[in-house]
Amino acid sequence: MQKPGCKKAFRFNPAFHRQNRSFVHEMIEHGGNAAMDFKRGLLNPHQKARGIYDAVEIPRGVVDWHSHPARCGPKICTVGLPSPADLKNVLAGALKGTQHHLVYSGEGTYIVRPSDALLRRIQLDPTMLARLRVKIDKDFAALHDQFKDTKPLNYERYKRRWRAHAKRVGFHVILHKKREGPVLHIKYPCDKTKKRPTTRKKKRRPTQRA
């Protein structure tokens, strides 16, 4: 978890976001991380990996991402929402410095991150991480199994229940549907070498008595 410091808004390089959105039409998952251009406030592509239909080894970064295929395979079908495995990976990444994870899916782009409060609780009690991973597997898998083969109307209901449950567990989840990439606020250590400008007091000229 980042210590308090400076914060800056970064927007996605449009070509980078379009590329990631296009991956939902492929039958494999893609994943990667982003490089930050501080001068222009842009997120640009950096490392990238190709996986299989329902898994990919994601290179970690302050901002990282992966895609979900929008179509079903012959014997398997993913949904747009982050899976239980995704949530556990997001949590592991956040404990190593990842601030935002994006899941590109057919219905839009999910932005996922654990709350600062949840990360502080894990840091104070490291044994909580193992318990939380079990809870994610159990609770979200039950929701996933209940709705994965249902009609679109029930999938909308599933998404509402899923996001409400994610919030209770301690995850912030936003669905970004706009064509342009989302704006992400990223914390970073302030440059301690930059000192605030000091103002010099004007010296009074000595007065001469007549």
Side-chain angles (χ1 to χ4, degrees):
M1 183 175 63
Q2 292 286 326
K3 294 181 179 180
C6 293
K7 184 185 287 187
K8 183 178 177 68
F10 286 82
R11 58 187 176 87
F12 269 77
N13 179 319
F16 182 27
H17 183 66
R18 285 196 302 270
Q19 169 197 267
N20 294 351
R21 289 291 322 150
S22 71
F23 289 146
V24 305
H25 303 296
E26 298 188 15
M27 295 301 287
I28 62 169
E29 290 190 1
H30 293 258
N33 55 28
M36 295 179 291
D37 182 339
F38 277 84
K39 186 175 181 180
R40 295 190 294 168
L42 281 179
L43 293 170
N44 293 314
H46 188 42
Q47 297 169 303
K48 182 177 171 296
R50 291 164 58 91
I52 56 176
Y53 179 80
D54 60 345
V56 63
E57 191 73 25
I58 303 167
R60 298 287 187 197
V62 174
V63 175
D64 47 35
W65 59 273
H66 78 284
S67 63
H68 279 183
R71 292 179 295 156
C72 294
K75 297 182 179 180
I76 190 171
C77 198
T78 64
V79 295
L81 283 165
S83 67
D86 290 339
L87 291 177
K88 291 188 292 183
N89 286 329
V90 168
L91 186 58
L95 291 169
K96 295 180 180 179
T98 300
Q99 295 186 37
H100 300 279
H101 182 81
L102 283 74
V103 179
Y104 288 88
S105 70
E107 63 241 32
T109 305
Y110 287 96
I111 306 166
V112 190
R113 67 178 181 86
S115 68
D116 289 343
L118 177 60
L119 295 177
R120 280 195 296 269
R121 286 162 56 198
I122 293 172
Q123 289 178 334
L124 291 172
D125 179 12
T127 63
M128 179 184 173
L129 179 60
R131 297 196 302 271
L132 186 57
R133 288 173 63 88
V134 171
K135 181 177 178 60
I136 289 171
D137 270 335
K138 181 180 178 181
D139 295 358
F140 284 94
L143 279 175
H144 188 72
D145 291 342
Q146 184 179 359
F147 287 95
K148 66 182 179 181
D149 295 324
T150 59
K151 296 179 180 179
L153 180 64
N154 286 331
Y155 179 57
E156 291 301 316
R157 180 185 170 200
Y158 166 45
K159 286 192 292 185
R160 289 194 298 269
R161 289 186 60 185
W162 186 97
R163 293 176 69 176
H165 192 70
K167 185 177 180 179
R168 286 195 297 271
V169 173
F171 286 92
H172 294 299
V173 183
I174 297 172
L175 176 58
H176 181 84
K177 292 186 176 183
K178 296 181 180 178
R179 178 175 294 181
E180 66 274 12
V183 175
L184 303 179
H185 291 86
I186 296 173
K187 299 176 185 177
Y188 62 94
C190 296
D191 187 352
K192 296 180 181 180
T193 62
K194 292 182 179 179
K195 296 181 179 179
R196 293 180 179 178
T198 56
T199 56
R200 294 182 179 179
K201 293 182 178 180
K202 293 183 178 180
K203 293 182 178 179
R204 292 183 179 178
R205 293 181 180 181
T207 57
Q208 294 181 349
R209 294 182 179 179

